Amino acid sequence: MLEKPDWPIATVYFPEPGVISVVARTLGGTQAEAGIVGPEGMTGLAILHGLDRSPNTSLIQMACRAIAIDARRFRTLIEESRPLHDHLLRYAQVFAVQLAQASLCNGRFTIEQRLARWLLMCHDRADREDLPLTHELLSLMLGVRRAGVTTALRSMEALGAVKTRRGGINLRDREVLKRAAGEAYGVPEAEYERVLG
């Protein structure tokens, strides 16, 4: 766990290939993944906006190396460098688009489409075909029952998009996975390209 809900952020992380999940929760403890961070971004966005904490949890989803910087030092750097601050604000914009797209997908798309989108996003950031993901973890990330994840994975396996194994998923055909995701995948990715290059 890199950030705990409502605790001061001590360190900002810039991950290399891998996946960090940002998990939202209710006051009663219900939780689901809101967004993911990989080499394109950073944790600790609240600091970028002049705050010291967030109600969300940030945790490592797929092991990765990361550049870590003390939050106090990070604040000083963004105050001293307007170009750095502006670049990171552009990242915050594209992350906000990812969060908005997740909200749209959760409300309007099937579990299969949402799962395909999430697998594609993990593949984009982890840069590997063998994703160490369990059905239980996927159900938490998507905010659905484990049985729904199992059914969706069977459907994708029948299409030849993935191959499941205990404790993991192998991506077999990215293009088939994109077709399975349909319109659920692509808007944040296009925004990353437009805004960050």
Side-chain angles (χ1 to χ4, degrees):
M1 186 175 298
L2 302 177
E3 291 177 21
K4 293 182 181 179
D6 300 317
W7 281 48
I9 298 166
T11 307
V12 175
Y13 296 91
F14 293 85
E16 292 180 2
V19 176
I20 295 172
S21 291
V22 177
V23 179
R25 65 176 173 80
T26 65
L27 294 176
T30 301
Q31 55 186 5
E33 184 180 67
I36 61 176
V37 178
E40 80 289 348
M42 59 177 277
T43 65
L45 280 179
I47 293 173
L48 188 61
H49 297 296
L51 305 170
D52 72 341
R53 67 193 70 205
S54 165
N56 299 326
T57 300
S58 291
L59 54 95
I60 297 171
Q61 190 69 260
M62 283 186 224
C64 62
R65 296 171 57 115
I67 296 169
I69 183 170
D70 177 79
R72 289 181 305 270
R73 178 73 180 126
F74 179 72
R75 280 187 197 91
T76 300
L77 288 173
I78 60 175
E79 287 170 7
E80 292 175 351
S81 174
R82 185 62 191 199
L84 174 63
H85 189 251
D86 289 348
H87 176 78
L88 294 175
L89 283 176
R90 285 191 291 277
Y91 166 70
Q93 162 61 21
V94 295
F95 190 73
V97 170
Q98 183 195 129
L99 298 180
Q101 190 72 13
S103 178
L104 173 64
C105 289
N106 290 341
R108 298 291 184 181
F109 290 92
T110 66
I111 292 173
E112 288 83 3
Q113 289 170 306
R114 291 167 50 205
L115 178 59
R117 170 187 178 264
W118 197 81
L119 292 172
L120 287 164
M121 289 174 63
C122 285
H123 184 245
D124 291 344
R125 287 157 180 84
D127 196 28
R128 57 190 275 191
E129 278 71 37
D130 180 30
L131 304 176
L133 304 167
T134 64
H135 292 211
E136 190 67 35
L137 180 65
L138 289 168
S139 71
L140 170 67
M141 294 302 102
L142 296 174
V144 298
R145 292 178 41 244
R146 188 179 184 278
V149 169
T150 300
T151 301
L153 281 170
R154 284 186 187 141
S155 175
M156 283 183 218
E157 200 163 14
L159 293 171
V162 300
K163 175 73 175 153
T164 61
R165 60 172 174 73
R166 185 170 180 81
I169 299 169
N170 289 48
L171 300 188
R172 290 282 177 91
D173 193 325
R174 187 174 166 89
E175 291 307 312
V176 172
L177 207 52
K178 279 183 171 178
R179 286 195 296 276
E183 291 187 335
Y185 178 78
V187 171
E189 292 70 26
E191 187 72 350
Y192 280 118
E193 185 60 33
R194 182 184 76 80
V195 174
L196 297 175

